[in-house]
Amino acid sequence: DAGVIQSPRHEVTEMGQEVTLRCKPISGHNSLFWYRQTMMRGLELLIYFNNNVPIDDSGMPEDRFSAKMPNASFSTLKIQPSEPRDSAVYFCASSLGQGRGGTEAFFGQGTRLTVV
Amino acid sequence: AQSVSQHNHHVILSEAASLELGCNYSYGGTVNLFWYVQYPGQHLQLLLKYFSGDPLVKGIKGFEAEFIKSKFSFNLRKPSVQWSDTAEYFCAVNADNAGNMLTFGGGTRLMVKP
């Protein structure tokens, strides 16, 4: 398996524009997580899906952020409108979600977002 | 909700020095425990994990960690660090009341001087 795949790897956008980050989890994994990493706040969990259903979105900073998982092999994180303080590295991770070892998370390479 | 504390934010060592990074968590029930490493500019990768059994867990690259339930700790150790171990290290906990969610500590930045 190619692992968790995220796109794009880098995104530079102007303030006010819509940004969509994409994630393909490992095939067969039932849980998917979106994290944001910054120097100031470290690694933050934004939202967590299980079987395509959002379970905990308490980490989503505000209404400008939304996430979807229309099927087991694809998820998006959208920011609309984007602001400079959204600049960060966004990681997607997936896990089996069941059985022994089901909570081990596998991370994608991340998307480095810069909002100017 | 559970929390994970990594008390050392920055550690600087010389090559061949021994390493111990602290990790404490707050949950009193059953936990799964992990250490992840993030090399500069890269994503998080698993170093080692504990689910049950022997509380001394051995991982990749000579790392090990010991689960001490009475102390709610899962400290990471390596007897002799190398320059290539320069990275950020994250402790993570899954509590049995949290579904599949991992709670991460704040991370420890390790710099190894050649």
Side-chain angles (χ1 to χ4, degrees):
Chain A
D1 199 311
V4 177
I5 299 173
Q6 291 186 246
S7 64
R9 292 291 309 276
H10 301 273
E11 176 82 31
V12 180
T13 190
E14 290 185 346
M15 183 174 63
Q17 296 298 306
E18 177 180 295
V19 175
T20 299
L21 311 182
R22 296 172 176 79
C23 175
K24 177 179 167 52
I26 292 173
S27 177
H29 281 193
N30 296 318
S31 297
L32 183 139
F33 310 84
W34 282 101
Y35 290 90
R36 178 172 69 178
Q37 186 177 38
T38 61
M39 288 292 291
M40 291 295 293
R41 294 186 297 268
L43 192 65
E44 305 171 277
L45 176 66
L46 300 178
I47 188 168
Y48 147 47
F49 291 87
N50 200 44
N51 293 320
N52 313 338
V53 175
I55 302 300
D56 186 340
D57 65 354
S58 58
M60 295 286 264
E62 46 198 279
D63 292 346
R64 296 185 297 106
F65 285 70
S66 62
K68 294 182 179 180
M69 192 163 186
N71 57 61
S73 58
F74 184 65
S75 176
T76 59
L77 177 68
K78 185 178 293 186
I79 309 172
Q80 165 65 17
S82 58
E83 296 181 4
R85 60 194 169 114
D86 301 331
S87 297
V89 180
Y90 291 81
F91 287 104
C92 177
S94 69
S95 67
L96 272 172
Q98 58 189 2
R100 182 182 171 88
T103 55
E104 177 183 343
F106 295 79
F107 283 77
Q109 298 281 344
T111 295
R112 182 173 295 276
L113 173 65
T114 303
V115 183
V116 298
Chain B
Q2 61 271 15
S3 64
V4 180
S5 298
Q6 293 181 242
H7 303 293
N8 312 102
H9 298 295
H10 292 90
V11 173
I12 302 174
L13 294 173
S14 297
E15 275 195 315
S18 64
L19 170 72
E20 180 159 2
L21 301 182
C23 173
N24 288 92
Y25 61 92
S26 62
Y27 183 65
T30 301
V31 291
N32 295 325
L33 299 160
F34 306 84
W35 275 98
Y36 284 84
V37 61
Q38 185 178 28
Y39 297 106
Q42 296 190 26
H43 63 293
L44 276 75
Q45 304 169 52
L46 184 73
L47 261 185
L48 48 78
K49 57 192 175 188
Y50 171 82
F51 296 125
S52 64
D54 189 343
L56 184 61
V57 179
K58 296 196 183 297
I60 60 171
K61 304 187 180 185
F63 286 91
E64 65 178 31
E66 184 174 13
F67 171 48
I68 303 179
K69 189 172 182 179
S70 61
K71 294 185 178 180
F72 299 91
S73 70
F74 190 56
N75 292 354
L76 181 71
R77 298 195 293 251
K78 185 170 184 178
S80 176
V81 295
Q82 300 173 313
W83 175 78
S84 58
D85 294 324
T86 294
E88 188 160 14
Y89 293 81
F90 293 90
C91 180
V93 175
N94 168 253
D96 63 0
N97 69 346
N100 301 319
M101 200 165 68
L102 293 184
T103 300
F104 281 85
T108 297
R109 287 184 182 272
L110 171 66
M111 178 184 293
V112 180
K113 297 185 295 184

